Amino acid sequence: KNNEALQTKKPIVIVNYEKVKNYDILKCRKWRIVIIDELHRLANVGSFVTRYFLRNRQPTFQRRWGLSGTPPPETAVNLVTEYIIIQGNFMGDKS
């Protein structure tokens, strides 16, 4: 049922973090817009979901946004993975 839902032409599909890698969500169709809620969860480089997003870079046709209710960290270095996933780079660095 999940695979069927992802293959439909519905304009909006909501997927939880636990399913992102299992269903290869970024490759199952050409998403024009990806909105990642709870973006702070992708700060942990050891997380399989974070590694999945880092391996699947943003295509040129796609726009990504991140949402988070968590207060910003004390240093910008703690935002590196989020910036790379959303914008493709962090202050010019891509890895």
Side-chain angles (χ1 to χ4, degrees):
K1 287 183 180 182
N2 288 331
N3 278 327
E4 286 178 26
L6 290 170
Q7 299 304 322
T8 64
K9 295 296 180 188
K10 297 189 189 256
I12 297 173
V13 177
I14 298 172
V15 180
N16 67 8
Y17 277 105
E18 290 69 28
K19 303 295 182 188
V20 165
K21 185 178 177 188
N22 297 347
Y23 291 97
D24 204 2
I25 192 71
L26 294 176
K27 293 185 179 175
C28 70
R29 66 193 257 196
K30 286 185 153 188
W31 302 102
R32 289 187 317 118
I33 297 172
V34 173
I35 301 171
I36 302 170
D37 193 17
E38 301 296 331
L39 184 65
H40 66 275
R41 290 185 63 185
L42 298 181
N44 178 5
V45 182
S47 160
F48 76 91
V49 177
T50 301
R51 289 193 312 260
Y52 174 79
F53 275 107
L54 288 171
R55 279 193 305 271
N56 291 283
R57 297 300 178 113
Q58 177 180 3
T60 55
F61 62 85
Q62 188 180 84
R63 298 293 172 252
R64 292 184 181 179
W65 285 278
L67 306 172
S68 184
T70 301
E74 294 179 17
T75 174
V77 174
N78 291 340
L79 296 170
V80 172
T81 54
E82 292 98 319
Y83 269 90
I84 291 174
I85 290 167
I86 297 296
Q87 294 183 334
N89 72 76
F90 178 76
M91 298 183 174
D93 291 321
K94 296 184 179 184
S95 64

